Amino acid sequence: MNYLKIDKCSTSNGTGCRVVLWVSGCSHRCQNCQNPQTWDKNNGIPFDLDTFFEICDYLDKPYISGITFSGGDPLLPDNREIIQAISTLVKFYHPTKTQWLYTGYKWEEIKDLPIMEYLDVIIDGQYEDSKRDITLKWRGSSNQRVIDVQETLRRNEIHLSYNL
């Protein structure tokens, strides 16, 4: 898996100050995507163990609320194994830090992936330019949902969390 960059402290990709991993690779190719440079899975830098330790160093800071996986699409099939490994290790080494993930897939397509055990919030669904709404919190178009993953898994029905 390749990534384009790591933000050390972003306040626009989830609650609090967050580390954001911008991965390469996206097959959705949404019209007027904000990050078309992330579509090609070969763009960027190969993710390796040193990169993981860099992320952990940032997560060690007490003012960091957690990590957000974005891109591209972290759940592109080519990215899933490494994103799962990162998420698992982050949960082990930083159990109090929250994990958010942006994906173009709908919850119904990805709900059974093992990574769900570790995620707190997913913003699902492709960006739809015709539904663009800059007043929405954490998402770009009104079709996208901010899903409380753990509550959704407990209830076995989608629980939306727009007030995070």
Side-chain angles (χ1 to χ4, degrees), residues 77-141:
D78 290 346
N79 293 339
R80 288 179 185 179
E81 187 176 341
I82 292 178
I83 292 297
Q84 167 74 41
I86 298 166
S87 181
T88 303
L89 290 169
V90 166
K91 191 61 155 185
F92 180 79
Y93 288 109
H94 299 281
T96 62
K97 307 286 182 168
T98 59
Q99 297 188 45
W100 286 47
L101 187 143
Y102 283 80
T103 182
Y105 295 99
K106 291 199 170 259
W107 172 257
E108 294 77 10
E109 299 172 278
I110 56 172
K111 64 183 174 133
D112 295 323
L113 294 176
I115 192 173
M116 297 309 158
E117 175 182 347
Y118 306 109
L119 298 176
D120 297 287
V121 175
I122 283 185
I123 292 80
D124 82 332
Q126 295 181 33
Y127 169 76
E128 293 183 23
D129 202 43
S130 64
K131 296 179 180 176
R132 180 176 188 259
D133 184 344
I134 61 170
T135 67
L136 298 172
K137 200 169 187 178
W138 316 125
R139 55 205 173 113
S141 58

Side-chain angles (χ1 to χ4, degrees), residues 133-152:
D133 184 344
I134 61 170
T135 67
L136 298 172
K137 200 169 187 178
W138 316 125
R139 55 205 173 113
S141 58
S142 61
N143 62 295
Q144 295 172 308
R145 301 176 289 186
V146 181
I147 298 172
D148 179 327
V149 175
Q150 298 309 307
E151 189 63 26
T152 295

